[in-house]
Amino acid sequence: MSKPAKPAKPVTAAKSAKAAKAAVVAKAAPAAAKETVTLTDNSTGRSWDYKLVDGTVGPKVIDIRSLYADTGMFTFDPAFTSTASCESKITYIDGDAGVLLYRGYPIEDLVERCDFLEVCYLLLNGELPTPDEKKKFVYDIMHHSMVHEQLSTFYRGFRRDAHPMAVMCGVVGGLAAFYHDSTDITDAHQRVVATYRLIAKMPTIAAWAYKYSVGQPFIYPRNQMDFAQNLLHMMFATPCEPYEVSPVLSKAMDRILTLHADHEQNASTSTVRLAGSSDANPFACIAAGIASLWGPAHGGANEAVLKMLGEIGDPKNIPAFIKRVKDKKAKLMGFGHRVYKNFDPRAKVMARTCQEVLDDLGRHNDPVLALAVELERIALSDQYFIERKLYPNVDFYSGIIFRAMGIPVSMFTPVFAVARTVGWVAQWNEMISDPAKRIGRPRQLYTGATPRKMGPIRRQR
Ligand code: ACO
Protein backbone atom coordinates (compact mmCIF):
# COMPACT_ATOMS: atom_id res chain seq x y z
CA MET A 1 0.00 0.00 0.00
CA SER A 2 1.18 3.50 -0.71
CA LYS A 3 2.26 5.56 2.27
CA PRO A 4 -0.22 7.99 3.85
CA ALA A 5 -0.28 11.27 2.00
CA LYS A 6 1.59 14.23 3.43
CA PRO A 7 -0.70 17.05 4.54
CA ALA A 8 -1.82 19.12 1.56
CA LYS A 9 -0.74 22.73 1.59
CA PRO A 10 -3.40 25.42 1.29
CA VAL A 11 -2.96 26.95 -2.16
CA THR A 12 -4.99 30.11 -1.50
CA ALA A 13 -6.27 31.77 1.62
CA ALA A 14 -8.94 34.42 1.07
CA LYS A 15 -9.25 37.00 3.81
CA SER A 16 -13.02 37.46 3.85
CA ALA A 17 -15.50 34.70 4.49
CA LYS A 18 -18.73 36.05 3.06
CA ALA A 19 -20.60 32.82 2.47
CA ALA A 20 -23.23 32.27 5.14
CA LYS A 21 -22.92 28.50 4.85
CA ALA A 22 -19.70 26.60 4.32
CA ALA A 23 -19.99 24.91 0.96
CA VAL A 24 -17.16 22.74 -0.24
CA VAL A 25 -16.69 22.04 -3.93
CA ALA A 26 -14.12 19.88 -5.62
CA LYS A 27 -13.04 20.82 -9.10
CA ALA A 28 -10.51 19.26 -11.43
CA ALA A 29 -7.21 21.07 -11.58
CA PRO A 30 -6.42 22.79 -14.92
CA ALA A 31 -5.24 20.33 -17.55
CA ALA A 32 -1.68 21.64 -17.44
CA ALA A 33 -1.44 21.23 -13.68
CA LYS A 34 -0.11 18.11 -11.98
CA GLU A 35 -2.44 15.18 -11.29
CA THR A 36 -4.38 16.75 -8.48
CA VAL A 37 -7.87 17.82 -7.57
CA THR A 38 -8.37 21.15 -5.83
CA LEU A 39 -10.83 21.39 -3.01
CA THR A 40 -12.12 24.87 -2.24
CA ASP A 41 -14.03 25.95 0.83
CA ASN A 42 -16.26 28.62 -0.66
CA SER A 43 -16.98 30.13 2.74
CA THR A 44 -13.34 31.07 3.24
CA GLY A 45 -11.87 30.76 -0.24
CA ARG A 46 -9.18 28.39 1.06
CA SER A 47 -8.13 25.64 -1.31
CA TRP A 48 -6.15 22.45 -0.93
CA ASP A 49 -4.67 20.17 -3.57
CA TYR A 50 -5.23 16.43 -3.35
CA LYS A 51 -3.27 13.86 -5.31
CA LEU A 52 -5.02 11.74 -7.92
CA VAL A 53 -4.04 8.09 -7.68
CA ASP A 54 -4.24 5.68 -10.62
CA GLY A 55 -5.22 2.06 -10.20
CA THR A 56 -4.07 -0.40 -12.87
CA VAL A 57 -7.56 -0.13 -14.38
CA GLY A 58 -10.65 1.78 -13.33
CA PRO A 59 -11.37 5.33 -12.32
CA LYS A 60 -8.82 7.60 -10.69
CA VAL A 61 -9.04 7.96 -6.94
CA ILE A 62 -8.61 11.18 -4.96
CA ASP A 63 -6.30 10.56 -2.02
CA ILE A 64 -7.97 12.46 0.80
CA ARG A 65 -6.25 10.71 3.71
CA SER A 66 -4.91 13.98 5.06
CA LEU A 67 -8.18 15.87 4.51
CA TYR A 68 -9.20 16.12 8.16
CA ALA A 69 -5.73 17.10 9.28
CA ASP A 70 -5.59 19.75 6.55
CA THR A 71 -9.09 21.17 6.68
CA GLY A 72 -10.76 20.02 9.91
CA MET A 73 -13.57 18.59 7.74
CA PHE A 74 -14.77 15.06 6.99
CA THR A 75 -16.38 13.75 3.82
CA PHE A 76 -19.93 12.39 4.00
CA ASP A 77 -20.48 9.19 2.02
CA PRO A 78 -22.80 7.01 4.14
CA ALA A 79 -23.12 3.92 1.92
CA PHE A 80 -19.62 4.27 0.46
CA THR A 81 -20.95 5.08 -3.00
CA SER A 82 -17.85 7.14 -3.82
CA THR A 83 -15.29 5.91 -1.34
CA ALA A 84 -12.52 3.37 -1.89
CA SER A 85 -12.02 1.86 1.55
CA CYS A 86 -8.81 0.03 0.72
CA GLU A 87 -6.25 -0.80 -1.93
CA SER A 88 -6.62 -4.31 -3.37
CA LYS A 89 -5.10 -6.50 -6.08
CA ILE A 90 -7.66 -9.31 -5.95
CA THR A 91 -10.85 -8.55 -7.86
CA TYR A 92 -11.86 -5.86 -10.32
CA ILE A 93 -15.38 -4.92 -11.41
CA ASP A 94 -16.36 -2.49 -14.15
CA GLY A 95 -20.03 -2.13 -13.38
CA ASP A 96 -20.88 -0.11 -16.49
CA ALA A 97 -19.26 -2.59 -18.85
CA GLY A 98 -20.42 -5.69 -16.92
CA VAL A 99 -16.84 -6.89 -16.34
CA LEU A 100 -15.65 -9.04 -13.43
CA LEU A 101 -12.00 -10.09 -13.15
CA TYR A 102 -10.33 -12.29 -10.52
CA ARG A 103 -6.62 -11.41 -10.47
CA GLY A 104 -7.07 -10.05 -14.02
CA TYR A 105 -8.84 -13.08 -15.50
CA PRO A 106 -12.43 -12.64 -16.77
CA ILE A 107 -14.97 -14.62 -14.78
CA GLU A 108 -16.36 -16.18 -17.98
CA ASP A 109 -12.94 -17.76 -18.76
CA LEU A 110 -12.40 -18.97 -15.22
CA VAL A 111 -15.80 -20.64 -15.11
CA GLU A 112 -15.11 -22.45 -18.39
CA ARG A 113 -11.47 -23.43 -17.84
CA CYS A 114 -10.80 -23.81 -14.13
CA ASP A 115 -12.31 -25.65 -11.23
CA PHE A 116 -13.24 -23.98 -7.97
CA LEU A 117 -10.10 -24.95 -6.06
CA GLU A 118 -7.90 -23.58 -8.86
CA VAL A 119 -9.85 -20.34 -8.57
CA CYS A 120 -9.35 -20.39 -4.79
CA TYR A 121 -5.61 -20.77 -5.30
CA LEU A 122 -5.65 -17.90 -7.79
CA LEU A 123 -7.54 -15.60 -5.43
CA LEU A 124 -5.25 -16.43 -2.53
CA ASN A 125 -1.92 -16.39 -4.35
CA GLY A 126 -2.37 -14.13 -7.38
CA GLU A 127 -1.54 -16.83 -9.97
CA LEU A 128 -3.16 -20.05 -11.15
CA PRO A 129 -1.45 -23.13 -9.69
CA THR A 130 1.01 -25.33 -11.56
CA PRO A 131 -0.01 -29.03 -11.58
CA ASP A 132 2.21 -29.68 -8.53
CA GLU A 133 0.94 -26.64 -6.68
CA LYS A 134 -2.63 -27.69 -7.42
CA LYS A 135 -2.02 -31.23 -6.19
CA LYS A 136 -0.62 -29.97 -2.90
CA PHE A 137 -3.33 -27.32 -2.47
CA VAL A 138 -6.15 -29.82 -3.11
CA TYR A 139 -4.52 -32.26 -0.67
CA ASP A 140 -4.19 -29.57 1.99
CA ILE A 141 -7.77 -28.37 1.62
CA MET A 142 -9.25 -31.86 1.59
CA HIS A 143 -7.26 -32.77 4.71
CA HIS A 144 -8.71 -29.86 6.63
CA SER A 145 -12.34 -30.61 5.80
CA MET A 146 -13.22 -32.50 8.99
CA VAL A 147 -14.26 -30.45 11.98
CA HIS A 148 -13.31 -31.18 15.58
CA GLU A 149 -15.76 -33.81 16.78
CA GLN A 150 -16.70 -31.62 19.71
CA LEU A 151 -17.95 -29.00 17.28
CA SER A 152 -20.73 -31.37 16.25
CA THR A 153 -22.21 -30.95 19.73
CA PHE A 154 -22.65 -27.20 19.10
CA TYR A 155 -25.50 -27.92 16.72
CA ARG A 156 -27.59 -29.43 19.48
CA GLY A 157 -27.76 -26.03 21.13
CA PHE A 158 -29.88 -24.73 18.26
CA ARG A 159 -33.56 -25.31 17.63
CA ARG A 160 -34.16 -27.68 14.72
CA ASP A 161 -36.07 -24.95 12.87
CA ALA A 162 -33.27 -22.37 13.24
CA HIS A 163 -32.23 -20.77 9.96
CA PRO A 164 -28.99 -22.46 8.77
CA MET A 165 -27.37 -19.02 8.44
CA ALA A 166 -28.02 -18.44 12.14
CA VAL A 167 -26.42 -21.79 12.88
CA MET A 168 -23.44 -20.94 10.65
CA CYS A 169 -22.87 -17.58 12.36
CA GLY A 170 -22.65 -19.43 15.67
CA VAL A 171 -20.66 -22.48 14.60
CA VAL A 172 -18.09 -20.58 12.48
CA GLY A 173 -17.63 -18.07 15.31
CA GLY A 174 -17.19 -21.10 17.57
CA LEU A 175 -14.16 -22.23 15.53
CA ALA A 176 -12.29 -19.35 17.17
CA ALA A 177 -12.58 -21.23 20.45
CA PHE A 178 -10.95 -24.33 18.92
CA TYR A 179 -8.02 -22.67 17.19
CA HIS A 180 -7.35 -19.61 19.29
CA ASP A 181 -3.89 -20.76 20.37
CA SER A 182 -2.77 -21.66 16.86
CA THR A 183 -3.99 -18.50 15.19
CA ASP A 184 -1.26 -15.94 15.61
CA ILE A 185 -2.23 -13.62 12.77
CA THR A 186 1.22 -12.01 12.67
CA ASP A 187 2.63 -15.39 11.57
CA ALA A 188 2.14 -15.88 7.81
CA HIS A 189 2.14 -19.69 8.15
CA GLN A 190 -0.57 -19.64 10.83
CA ARG A 191 -2.63 -17.34 8.60
CA VAL A 192 -2.36 -19.91 5.79
CA VAL A 193 -3.50 -22.67 8.15
CA ALA A 194 -6.48 -20.57 9.30
CA THR A 195 -7.27 -19.82 5.64
CA TYR A 196 -7.24 -23.51 4.68
CA ARG A 197 -9.29 -24.46 7.71
CA LEU A 198 -11.96 -21.93 6.84
CA ILE A 199 -12.24 -22.83 3.14
CA ALA A 200 -12.17 -26.57 3.89
CA LYS A 201 -14.52 -26.70 6.87
CA MET A 202 -17.18 -24.37 5.54
CA PRO A 203 -18.93 -27.03 3.34
CA THR A 204 -18.97 -29.41 6.29
CA ILE A 205 -20.41 -26.76 8.61
CA ALA A 206 -23.05 -25.68 6.07
CA ALA A 207 -24.06 -29.24 5.17
CA TRP A 208 -24.36 -30.15 8.85
CA ALA A 209 -26.57 -27.12 9.46
CA TYR A 210 -28.92 -28.62 6.88
CA LYS A 211 -28.64 -32.15 8.23
CA TYR A 212 -29.41 -30.90 11.71
CA SER A 213 -32.51 -29.04 10.45
CA VAL A 214 -33.93 -32.21 8.88
CA GLY A 215 -32.90 -34.46 11.75
CA GLN A 216 -30.55 -36.62 9.70
CA PRO A 217 -27.13 -37.86 10.84
CA PHE A 218 -24.13 -35.76 9.92
CA ILE A 219 -22.25 -37.06 6.89
CA TYR A 220 -18.46 -36.78 7.04
CA PRO A 221 -16.36 -35.38 4.18
CA ARG A 222 -14.74 -37.76 1.72
CA ASN A 223 -11.23 -36.90 0.60
CA GLN A 224 -11.48 -38.63 -2.77
CA MET A 225 -14.31 -36.30 -3.85
CA ASP A 226 -13.75 -32.86 -5.24
CA PHE A 227 -14.93 -29.79 -3.37
CA ALA A 228 -18.35 -29.46 -5.06
CA GLN A 229 -19.05 -33.20 -4.94
CA ASN A 230 -18.20 -33.25 -1.27
CA LEU A 231 -20.63 -30.44 -0.50
CA LEU A 232 -23.47 -32.24 -2.32
CA HIS A 233 -22.50 -35.56 -0.74
CA MET A 234 -22.51 -34.14 2.80
CA MET A 235 -25.88 -32.49 2.17
CA PHE A 236 -27.70 -35.34 0.48
CA ALA A 237 -26.10 -38.69 1.38
CA THR A 238 -27.47 -40.74 4.25
CA PRO A 239 -25.84 -43.72 5.97
CA CYS A 240 -28.64 -46.01 4.72
CA GLU A 241 -27.84 -46.15 1.03
CA PRO A 242 -25.16 -45.16 -1.47
CA TYR A 243 -25.45 -41.67 -2.89
CA GLU A 244 -24.15 -40.99 -6.39
CA VAL A 245 -23.27 -37.36 -6.99
CA SER A 246 -24.53 -36.39 -10.45
CA PRO A 247 -21.63 -35.08 -12.59
CA VAL A 248 -23.89 -32.41 -14.12
CA LEU A 249 -24.96 -31.17 -10.71
CA SER A 250 -21.44 -31.18 -9.27
CA LYS A 251 -20.15 -29.30 -12.33
CA ALA A 252 -22.97 -26.76 -11.94
CA MET A 253 -22.18 -26.46 -8.23
CA ASP A 254 -18.48 -25.97 -9.01
CA ARG A 255 -19.36 -23.14 -11.42
CA ILE A 256 -21.72 -21.56 -8.91
CA LEU A 257 -18.95 -21.62 -6.30
CA THR A 258 -16.54 -19.93 -8.74
CA LEU A 259 -19.09 -17.27 -9.69
CA HIS A 260 -19.57 -16.37 -6.02
CA ALA A 261 -15.95 -16.69 -4.89
CA ASP A 262 -15.16 -12.99 -4.58
CA HIS A 263 -16.69 -9.66 -5.47
CA GLU A 264 -14.28 -7.00 -4.24
CA GLN A 265 -15.44 -4.68 -1.45
CA ASN A 266 -19.10 -5.79 -1.09
CA ALA A 267 -20.93 -5.52 2.25
CA SER A 268 -19.81 -8.86 3.72
CA THR A 269 -16.20 -8.53 2.56
CA SER A 270 -16.01 -5.00 3.93
CA THR A 271 -17.44 -6.37 7.17
CA VAL A 272 -14.70 -9.00 7.33
CA ARG A 273 -12.04 -6.38 6.63
CA LEU A 274 -13.40 -3.97 9.23
CA ALA A 275 -13.73 -6.70 11.85
CA GLY A 276 -10.23 -7.95 11.01
CA SER A 277 -8.69 -4.49 11.07
CA SER A 278 -8.67 -4.68 14.88
CA ASP A 279 -6.54 -7.88 14.59
CA ALA A 280 -9.54 -9.94 15.68
CA ASN A 281 -9.55 -13.72 15.38
CA PRO A 282 -10.11 -14.68 11.69
CA PHE A 283 -12.81 -17.26 12.47
CA ALA A 284 -14.76 -14.58 14.33
CA CYS A 285 -14.23 -12.15 11.40
CA ILE A 286 -15.64 -14.67 8.92
CA ALA A 287 -18.64 -15.21 11.23
CA ALA A 288 -19.19 -11.44 10.94
CA GLY A 289 -19.04 -11.77 7.14
CA ILE A 290 -21.65 -14.55 7.26
CA ALA A 291 -23.94 -12.30 9.30
CA SER A 292 -23.67 -9.53 6.73
CA LEU A 293 -24.15 -11.88 3.79
CA TRP A 294 -27.39 -13.17 5.28
CA GLY A 295 -29.32 -9.96 4.55
CA PRO A 296 -31.81 -10.01 1.65
CA ALA A 297 -30.13 -7.00 0.04
CA HIS A 298 -26.95 -9.11 -0.23
CA GLY A 299 -26.54 -12.91 -0.24
CA GLY A 300 -29.98 -13.50 1.19
CA ALA A 301 -31.43 -12.31 -2.13
CA ASN A 302 -31.34 -15.80 -3.70
CA GLU A 303 -33.71 -17.04 -1.03
CA ALA A 304 -35.82 -13.89 -1.37
CA VAL A 305 -36.14 -14.41 -5.16
CA LEU A 306 -37.73 -17.79 -4.63
CA LYS A 307 -40.08 -16.42 -1.99
CA MET A 308 -41.05 -13.60 -4.36
CA LEU A 309 -41.72 -16.03 -7.24
CA GLY A 310 -43.82 -18.12 -4.89
CA GLU A 311 -45.86 -15.06 -3.94
CA ILE A 312 -46.38 -14.03 -7.57
CA GLY A 313 -47.44 -17.62 -8.30
CA ASP A 314 -48.56 -17.21 -11.89
CA PRO A 315 -47.42 -15.14 -14.90
CA LYS A 316 -50.83 -13.44 -14.97
CA ASN A 317 -50.00 -11.81 -11.64
CA ILE A 318 -46.73 -10.25 -12.89
CA PRO A 319 -48.21 -6.88 -14.00
CA ALA A 320 -49.81 -6.37 -10.58
CA PHE A 321 -46.52 -7.26 -8.88
CA ILE A 322 -44.54 -4.88 -11.12
CA LYS A 323 -47.03 -2.14 -10.21
CA ARG A 324 -46.37 -2.78 -6.51
CA VAL A 325 -42.63 -2.56 -7.17
CA LYS A 326 -43.05 0.75 -8.99
CA ASP A 327 -45.23 2.02 -6.15
CA LYS A 328 -42.31 1.10 -3.82
CA LYS A 329 -44.46 -1.42 -2.00
CA ALA A 330 -42.24 -4.34 -3.03
CA LYS A 331 -38.77 -4.95 -4.42
CA LEU A 332 -37.95 -7.02 -7.45
CA MET A 333 -35.51 -9.34 -5.70
CA GLY A 334 -32.54 -10.48 -7.77
CA PHE A 335 -32.58 -7.21 -9.69
CA GLY A 336 -30.29 -4.23 -9.26
CA HIS A 337 -26.77 -3.91 -7.99
CA ARG A 338 -24.71 -1.18 -6.38
CA VAL A 339 -21.91 -1.58 -8.90
CA TYR A 340 -23.36 -3.23 -12.01
CA LYS A 341 -25.36 -0.76 -14.02
CA ASN A 342 -25.32 -3.18 -16.92
CA PHE A 343 -25.84 -6.94 -17.00
CA ASP A 344 -24.15 -8.73 -14.08
CA PRO A 345 -21.68 -11.02 -15.96
CA ARG A 346 -22.27 -13.70 -13.32
CA ALA A 347 -26.00 -13.67 -14.09
CA LYS A 348 -25.29 -14.45 -17.77
CA VAL A 349 -23.22 -17.54 -16.88
CA MET A 350 -25.78 -18.46 -14.25
CA ALA A 351 -28.67 -18.26 -16.74
CA ARG A 352 -26.78 -20.61 -19.09
CA THR A 353 -25.91 -23.03 -16.27
CA CYS A 354 -29.51 -22.92 -15.10
CA GLN A 355 -30.70 -24.03 -18.53
CA GLU A 356 -28.16 -26.90 -18.63
CA VAL A 357 -29.16 -28.13 -15.20
CA LEU A 358 -32.86 -28.00 -15.97
CA ASP A 359 -32.29 -29.78 -19.31
CA ASP A 360 -30.24 -32.47 -17.58
CA LEU A 361 -32.93 -32.95 -14.99
CA GLY A 362 -35.61 -32.90 -17.70
CA ARG A 363 -37.19 -29.90 -16.05
CA HIS A 364 -36.96 -27.35 -18.85
CA ASN A 365 -40.70 -26.83 -18.45
CA ASP A 366 -40.20 -25.87 -14.83
CA PRO A 367 -43.04 -23.43 -14.07
CA VAL A 368 -40.88 -21.40 -11.67
CA LEU A 369 -38.24 -20.88 -14.36
CA ALA A 370 -40.95 -19.93 -16.85
CA LEU A 371 -42.29 -17.41 -14.34
CA ALA A 372 -38.78 -16.01 -13.74
CA VAL A 373 -38.09 -15.69 -17.48
CA GLU A 374 -41.38 -13.87 -18.02
CA LEU A 375 -40.76 -11.60 -15.03
CA GLU A 376 -37.29 -10.79 -16.36
CA ARG A 377 -38.67 -10.07 -19.85
CA ILE A 378 -41.35 -7.72 -18.55
CA ALA A 379 -38.98 -5.93 -16.16
CA LEU A 380 -36.26 -5.45 -18.78
CA SER A 381 -38.71 -3.73 -21.10
CA ASP A 382 -40.22 -1.48 -18.43
CA GLN A 383 -39.12 2.16 -18.23
CA TYR A 384 -38.87 2.04 -14.41
CA PHE A 385 -36.11 -0.57 -14.56
CA ILE A 386 -34.49 0.82 -17.73
CA GLU A 387 -34.16 4.33 -16.26
CA ARG A 388 -32.66 2.99 -13.04
CA LYS A 389 -30.36 0.55 -14.86
CA LEU A 390 -31.78 -2.39 -12.95
CA TYR A 391 -30.73 -5.74 -14.43
CA PRO A 392 -30.88 -9.28 -13.07
CA ASN A 393 -28.02 -10.00 -10.69
CA VAL A 394 -26.43 -13.38 -9.90
CA ASP A 395 -29.10 -14.21 -7.36
CA PHE A 396 -31.96 -14.01 -9.83
CA TYR A 397 -30.93 -17.36 -11.33
CA SER A 398 -28.96 -19.03 -8.58
CA GLY A 399 -32.11 -19.66 -6.55
CA ILE A 400 -33.77 -21.38 -9.50
CA ILE A 401 -30.78 -23.67 -10.09
CA PHE A 402 -30.47 -24.47 -6.40
CA ARG A 403 -34.14 -25.36 -6.27
CA ALA A 404 -33.80 -27.63 -9.30
CA MET A 405 -30.79 -29.29 -7.65
CA GLY A 406 -32.97 -30.11 -4.66
CA ILE A 407 -31.27 -27.64 -2.33
CA PRO A 408 -33.78 -26.32 0.19
CA VAL A 409 -34.47 -22.60 0.04
CA SER A 410 -32.99 -21.92 3.48
CA MET A 411 -29.66 -23.41 2.28
CA PHE A 412 -29.25 -21.05 -0.70
CA THR A 413 -27.40 -18.40 1.28
CA PRO A 414 -25.25 -20.92 3.23
CA VAL A 415 -24.02 -22.29 -0.12
CA PHE A 416 -23.17 -18.71 -1.12
CA ALA A 417 -21.24 -18.40 2.16
CA VAL A 418 -19.29 -21.58 1.34
CA ALA A 419 -18.27 -20.04 -1.98
CA ARG A 420 -17.50 -16.56 -0.66
CA THR A 421 -15.28 -17.79 2.18
CA VAL A 422 -12.24 -17.82 -0.11
CA GLY A 423 -12.89 -14.20 -1.10
CA TRP A 424 -13.25 -13.19 2.54
CA VAL A 425 -10.03 -14.89 3.59
CA ALA A 426 -8.09 -13.65 0.54
CA GLN A 427 -9.14 -10.08 1.33
CA TRP A 428 -8.48 -10.56 5.04
CA ASN A 429 -4.99 -11.90 4.28
CA GLU A 430 -4.28 -9.02 1.93
CA MET A 431 -5.21 -6.56 4.65
CA ILE A 432 -3.33 -8.28 7.49
CA SER A 433 -0.13 -8.66 5.45
CA ASP A 434 -0.14 -4.97 4.54
CA PRO A 435 2.45 -3.27 6.78
CA ALA A 436 0.51 0.00 6.52
CA LYS A 437 -2.70 -1.56 7.93
CA ARG A 438 -4.53 0.51 10.51
CA ILE A 439 -7.75 -0.15 12.37
CA GLY A 440 -10.79 0.84 10.27
CA ARG A 441 -12.61 3.71 11.87
CA PRO A 442 -15.18 5.69 9.84
CA ARG A 443 -16.24 9.19 10.92
CA GLN A 444 -19.79 10.48 11.16
CA LEU A 445 -21.96 13.48 10.51
CA TYR A 446 -23.37 14.02 13.99
CA THR A 447 -26.93 15.39 14.01
CA GLY A 448 -27.88 14.59 17.61
CA ALA A 449 -28.38 16.84 20.60
CA THR A 450 -25.90 19.63 21.24
CA PRO A 451 -24.18 19.62 24.67
CA ARG A 452 -26.74 20.17 27.42
CA LYS A 453 -26.93 20.12 31.19
CA MET A 454 -28.55 17.25 33.02
CA GLY A 455 -31.54 18.17 35.19
CA PRO A 456 -32.58 16.22 38.29
CA ILE A 457 -33.18 12.54 37.53
CA ARG A 458 -36.59 11.34 38.59
CA ARG A 459 -36.54 7.75 39.78
CA GLN A 460 -39.47 5.57 40.70
CA ARG A 461 -39.68 4.91 44.43
N1 ACO B 1 -36.53 -3.46 -7.22
C1 ACO B 1 -37.13 -2.27 -7.39
N2 ACO B 1 -36.51 -1.09 -7.36
C2 ACO B 1 -35.19 -1.11 -7.13
C3 ACO B 1 -34.48 -2.32 -6.95
C4 ACO B 1 -35.18 -3.51 -7.02
N3 ACO B 1 -34.58 -4.69 -6.86
N4 ACO B 1 -33.19 -2.03 -6.75
C5 ACO B 1 -33.09 -0.70 -6.79
N5 ACO B 1 -34.30 -0.14 -7.03
C6 ACO B 1 -34.59 1.29 -7.20
C7 ACO B 1 -34.56 2.02 -5.88
O1 ACO B 1 -35.84 2.03 -5.28
C8 ACO B 1 -34.12 3.39 -6.32
O2 ACO B 1 -35.21 4.02 -6.94
P1 ACO B 1 -35.43 5.62 -6.80
O3 ACO B 1 -34.32 6.25 -7.58
O4 ACO B 1 -36.80 5.86 -7.34
O5 ACO B 1 -35.33 5.91 -5.32
C9 ACO B 1 -33.11 3.08 -7.44
O6 ACO B 1 -33.54 1.83 -8.00
C10 ACO B 1 -31.67 2.99 -6.98
O7 ACO B 1 -31.60 1.98 -6.00
P2 ACO B 1 -30.73 2.02 -4.69
O8 ACO B 1 -31.48 1.35 -3.60
O9 ACO B 1 -30.24 3.41 -4.45
O10 ACO B 1 -29.51 1.14 -5.12
P3 ACO B 1 -28.40 0.57 -4.18
O11 ACO B 1 -27.15 0.57 -4.95
O12 ACO B 1 -28.39 1.28 -2.86
O13 ACO B 1 -28.88 -0.93 -3.86
C11 ACO B 1 -29.26 -3.24 -4.10
C12 ACO B 1 -28.42 -2.03 -4.54
C13 ACO B 1 -29.25 -3.35 -2.57
C14 ACO B 1 -28.64 -4.52 -4.66
C15 ACO B 1 -30.71 -3.05 -4.61
O14 ACO B 1 -30.70 -2.97 -6.01
C16 ACO B 1 -31.61 -4.18 -4.13
O15 ACO B 1 -32.11 -4.12 -3.00
N6 ACO B 1 -31.88 -5.22 -4.99
C17 ACO B 1 -32.68 -6.33 -4.59
C18 ACO B 1 -31.90 -7.27 -3.67
C19 ACO B 1 -30.87 -8.06 -4.42
O16 ACO B 1 -31.13 -8.68 -5.47
N7 ACO B 1 -29.66 -8.11 -3.84
C20 ACO B 1 -28.56 -8.90 -4.37
C21 ACO B 1 -27.41 -8.04 -4.80
S1 ACO B 1 -26.16 -8.99 -5.55
C22 ACO B 1 -25.42 -9.76 -4.24
O17 ACO B 1 -25.30 -9.28 -3.16
C23 ACO B 1 -24.86 -11.05 -4.52
Side-chain angles (χ1 to χ4, degrees):
M1 181 184 259
S2 47
K3 288 202 177 105
K6 285 190 183 136
K9 286 206 175 102
V11 290
T12 59
K15 282 176 191 149
S16 63
K18 279 189 189 160
K21 226 175 167 188
V24 180
V25 290
K27 58 179 193 236
K34 52 193 172 156
E35 288 267 280
T36 59
V37 158
T38 302
L39 183 76
T40 303
D41 179 346
N42 290 331
S43 64
T44 63
R46 286 187 76 187
S47 293
W48 298 265
D49 279 350
Y50 288 96
K51 213 171 76 184
L52 278 172
V53 183
D54 277 309
T56 42
V57 270
K60 289 179 189 296
V61 169
I62 310 168
D63 184 344
I64 56 155
R65 278 176 288 179
S66 65
L67 182 93
Y68 178 60
D70 298 337
T71 67
M73 290 182 268
F74 300 138
T75 53
F76 183 56
D77 186 17
F80 299 114
T81 49
S82 303
T83 299
S85 61
C86 64
E87 189 181 320
S88 182
K89 293 181 170 49
I90 301 173
T91 293
Y92 173 75
I93 301 173
D94 180 338
D96 294 323
V99 168
L100 169 61
L101 311 175
Y102 292 167
R103 300 285 190 178
Y105 295 119
I107 189 70
E108 296 85 348
D109 291 352
L110 291 167
V111 161
E112 286 305 321
R113 298 175 52 189
C114 300
D115 65 33
F116 177 64
L117 283 186
E118 285 168 331
V119 171
C120 288
Y121 187 95
L122 172 72
L123 287 167
L124 294 170
N125 300 293
E127 295 299 336
L128 284 164
T130 62
D132 283 348
E133 285 166 344
K134 181 176 175 187
K135 205 169 153 199
K136 180 171 184 328
F137 183 65
V138 171
Y139 180 92
D140 287 345
I141 294 292
M142 297 329 277
H143 286 81
H144 276 294
S145 57
M146 265 194 338
V147 294
H148 193 294
E149 193 56 24
Q150 207 179 331
L151 199 82
S152 65
T153 63
F154 273 40
Y155 288 81
R156 276 190 243 137
F158 292 96
R159 286 168 54 128
R160 292 269 175 198
D161 60 357
H163 195 287
M165 284 297 276
V167 175
M168 286 188 73
C169 286
V171 175
V172 174
L175 288 175
F178 285 80
Y179 302 114
H180 192 75
D181 292 344
S182 56
T183 313
D184 172 1
I185 62 162
T186 62
D187 177 338
H189 175 70
Q190 292 197 32
R191 285 205 302 275
V192 170
V193 175
T195 296
Y196 287 7
R197 280 179 172 147
L198 276 157
I199 296 170
K201 293 183 197 313
M202 205 60 89
T204 315
I205 291 171
W208 285 13
Y210 171 57
K211 286 298 196 195
Y212 182 75
S213 73
V214 289
Q216 289 183 5
F218 295 151
I219 300 294
Y220 288 79
R222 288 269 178 85
N223 289 350
Q224 76 273 24
M225 291 188 179
D226 72 24
F227 196 88
Q229 282 173 337
N230 227 335
L231 175 60
L232 292 169
H233 162 77
M234 287 190 285
M235 282 180 70
F236 296 125
T238 65
C240 325
E241 55 191 7
Y243 172 76
E244 281 282 318
V245 182
S246 146
V248 174
L249 296 196
S250 67
K251 187 176 168 217
M253 178 56 87
D254 191 86
R255 272 190 185 175
I256 292 169
L257 296 173
T258 293
L259 288 173
H260 290 82
D262 192 41
H263 214 228
E264 53 121 302
Q265 308 313 317
N266 54 82
S268 57
T269 303
S270 301
T271 301
V272 170
R273 277 192 180 254
L274 193 54
S277 75
S278 70
D279 294 341
N281 180 288
F283 300 98
C285 296
I286 299 304
I290 293 172
S292 168
L293 186 76
W294 190 4
H298 191 10
N302 48 20
E303 182 175 338
V305 168
L306 255 275
K307 281 198 181 125
M308 172 189 75
L309 293 173
E311 277 161 27
I312 297 173
D314 189 283
K316 73 174 190 309
N317 300 328
I318 294 177
F321 176 73
I322 295 281
K323 183 171 181 313
R324 285 186 61 223
V325 170
K326 294 203 276 194
D327 292 344
K328 310 272 185 206
K329 290 183 180 143
K331 248 190 183 174
L332 180 47
M333 300 312 288
F335 259 64
H337 198 274
R338 169 60 58 76
V339 182
Y340 294 119
K341 300 303 172 195
N342 193 325
F343 234 86
D344 178 342
R346 303 168 301 171
K348 277 190 189 167
V349 181
M350 200 62 100
R352 212 173 58 235
T353 309
C354 186
Q355 205 56 58
E356 282 170 22
V357 168
L358 293 174
D359 284 350
D360 182 72
L361 297 169
R363 294 179 64 176
H364 34 264
N365 294 326
D366 186 282
V368 176
L369 177 68
L371 183 62
V373 168
E374 183 60 2
L375 182 58
E376 182 191 16
R377 191 190 63 76
I378 292 177
L380 287 176
S381 57
D382 192 300
Q383 250 350 83
Y384 175 95
F385 299 93
I386 295 169
E387 276 165 16
R388 290 169 180 77
K389 299 187 176 172
L390 300 171
Y391 291 88
N393 59 50
V394 68
D395 287 324
F396 192 71
Y397 283 102
S398 63
I400 298 163
I401 308 188
F402 285 153
R403 182 174 166 277
M405 291 167 94
I407 296 174
V409 174
S410 64
M411 281 302 288
F412 292 0
T413 315
V415 173
F416 189 164
V418 168
R420 184 54 60 82
T421 298
V422 62
W424 290 331
V425 288
Q427 303 263 355
W428 171 79
N429 266 298
E430 183 176 62
M431 177 186 68
I432 296 292
S433 46
D434 181 348
K437 175 189 90 62
R438 296 173 74 190
I439 189 167
R441 196 350 180 147
R443 299 292 195 151
Q444 64 170 9
L445 170 65
Y446 176 71
T447 53
T450 53
R452 51 186 169 153
K453 278 214 165 91
M454 278 181 79
I457 297 172
R458 270 175 285 159
R459 292 201 171 88
Q460 225 169 11
R461 286 168 193 255

